[in-house]
Structure formats: structure tokens, C-alpha cells
Amino acid sequence: MNIPKQRLAVVTGGSAGIGLEICRQLLDAGWAVVSMARRPPPFAHEHLHSLEVDLADRSATAQAADEVARRFAPDTVIHNAGAILPALLEDVKLADLDKLVDIHLSTAILLTQACLPAMKTAGFGRIVLLSSRGALGLVTRTAYAATKAGMLGMARTWALELAPFGVTVNVVSPGPVQTDMFHGVIPVGDPKVEQIAASIPVGRLGQPADVGFAVRFFTSADAGFVTGQVLYVCGGASIASLTL
């Protein structure tokens, strides 16, 4: 097993919200980071690199994934990028489902396929997929829940296939976290924000730092005996009712 002296992660959706926080935490821990997102992160760092790409564009994503693998050979893949596209069943558009398949599932496959050869050669790698508590079911989340749930089966399958090569695969599933994406569905100041917080067993909404901490655990070189697991970072919402 060849663990690099300086770890290097590629983080999708690293320009905002949870992805941005993951980038910050890894950089603070001495890592090098490549952000793959439509926009660059809003800060500069000597070990932060940015690759701008629309992950809903399968062809562009494949090209970007190949470039990341070729230029940086990451030992860690963190697929955080996501979208919600809420709709009641009667209003679900298959085009929206296709878009979320590309963002949530196809991107994970393409990026991991590109980075995997270097991981196998080194005998070491970490893959973390960001799913959601919504994968357990939530009103208006047909396309979102379907694709986020797909991540769980995909990760468990990869965990079995890649364990012999020293590569672990795990999932972090956040509950309601205060990000721009969350407030894109429920605006800041809407009374529903406080209602949701009150419905969560710990009595508050999550913060990006809560999720970043869980991701860092799975990426640790010391977490090599943990694979194929799903960690709900949700304040207990995965064991209680939740209405958004």
C-alpha cells in the first residue's frame, strides 16, 4: 500500500455549500484538492485547483474526469455535486430524472473509472459518495430520491469489487443542511425553516461543517477497515419523520 505524503482529493461541486466546506477542511488538513464544478471556489489556495465543468453534460464530464486523472492522479474521489428538481409524482419530468442520473450517478461512475487505475496501482484509495436522507423517501423527491438511493447500491457494489485493491467506498447521507441549495427550495426567513429544525430530533438544521467532518473520517488512511457503509448525518431525521 502506497499512501502519498500529501493526499489529493477531487471534489465535485466544490464551489459552494457542502462541497466548498469539504474543500476547506481538507486544505486545512494539508491536502491538495481539485474542485470540479460549474464555477471556481470563491477563494484561492496554493493547493487548490479548479476545473470548471457542467456535470449534467455527460461528454464534458468524461473529458474533465480524464483530465483530472491525467494531471493529478487523485487518491480520493468525493462526489458531492447534486441538484434537487422537486416535483409531485404527477408533475415529474423524465428529462429531470435523466439530468439527475447524469449528475448523481453517471458523474460518479465516470470520475471513479478515470481515477481508479492509479488507485489500484498504489494499492490505496478512498471513494466517498454524498447521498441524502431523502433517499429514504420524501414528498416531491421522486427523481432525487431515486438517484440518491441508487448511490447506495452502487457504493456497496464498488466496495466489494475494490476491497482487494485497498480502495474503500462509503456514503455520507446528509439530512437538511443550510446551504444555498436548501434555501433554493425553502427561502431564508420562511417559517418552514424553523418548523423543519424543530422536527429534527437534535433540534436544529445541519451545517456544512457537520457533513465535512463525516467525509473526512471516511477519507482517512486509518479508516481502511470501513467500507460499503452509509452514514446518515441528519440529526436523527433518518429514524424519525421528516417533512420539507
Side-chain angles (χ1 to χ4, degrees):
M1 181 171 63
N2 181 22
I3 302 173
K5 291 182 179 179
Q6 183 182 42
R7 302 285 303 282
L8 195 154
V10 54
V11 180
T12 64
S15 62
I18 292 172
L20 179 61
E21 176 63 22
I22 291 170
C23 289
R24 289 187 188 278
Q25 290 195 19
L26 293 178
L27 290 166
D28 288 346
W31 289 51
V33 177
V34 182
S35 168
M36 286 179 63
R38 287 179 297 175
R39 299 177 299 276
F43 70 94
H45 189 286
E46 62 176 327
H47 297 306
L48 175 63
H49 310 274
S50 176
L51 194 60
E52 295 173 41
V53 58
D54 181 356
L55 298 174
D57 182 330
R58 190 176 296 183
S59 176
T61 299
Q63 292 179 24
D66 288 343
E67 181 179 348
V68 166
R70 175 175 49 81
R71 289 177 56 192
F72 301 101
D75 60 79
T76 299
V77 170
I78 302 170
H79 180 39
N80 156 82
I84 297 176
L85 306 182
L88 291 169
L89 175 57
E90 294 88 343
D91 302 317
V92 171
K93 299 176 182 177
L94 292 185
D96 287 347
L97 176 62
D98 289 342
K99 182 174 182 178
L100 294 189
V101 166
D102 279 337
I103 296 173
H104 296 158
L105 301 179
S106 298
T107 293
I109 293 170
L110 290 169
L111 185 56
T112 302
Q113 285 176 333
C115 297
L116 195 54
M119 293 184 189
K120 284 186 173 182
T121 297
F124 175 84
R126 296 287 182 264
I127 299 167
V128 183
L129 305 182
L130 274 289
S131 180
S132 169
R133 185 265 174 227
L136 300 177
L138 203 60
V139 173
T140 75
R141 299 295 195 268
T142 292
Y144 182 77
T147 51
K148 287 295 190 176
M151 285 183 160
L152 308 187
M154 200 161 66
R156 290 168 66 88
T157 299
W158 294 359
L160 293 172
E161 294 180 359
L162 302 181
F165 302 98
V167 179
T168 65
V169 188
N170 292 289
V171 179
V172 174
S173 290
V177 175
Q178 287 192 291
T179 63
D180 289 343
M181 189 165 77
F182 173 84
H183 286 300
V185 178
I186 304 172
V188 175
D190 189 317
K192 200 170 184 180
V193 173
E194 292 302 322
Q195 293 171 11
I196 294 169
S199 73
I200 296 173
V202 301
R204 69 173 176 88
L205 295 173
Q207 298 299 322
D210 296 317
V211 184
F213 178 77
V215 170
R216 284 196 296 115
F217 164 71
F218 281 135
T219 61
S220 170
D222 295 326
F225 201 58
V226 183
T227 195
Q229 303 305 303
V230 182
L231 176 57
Y232 288 94
V233 183
C234 62
S238 61
I239 53 174
S241 61
L242 178 66
T243 302
L244 297 184

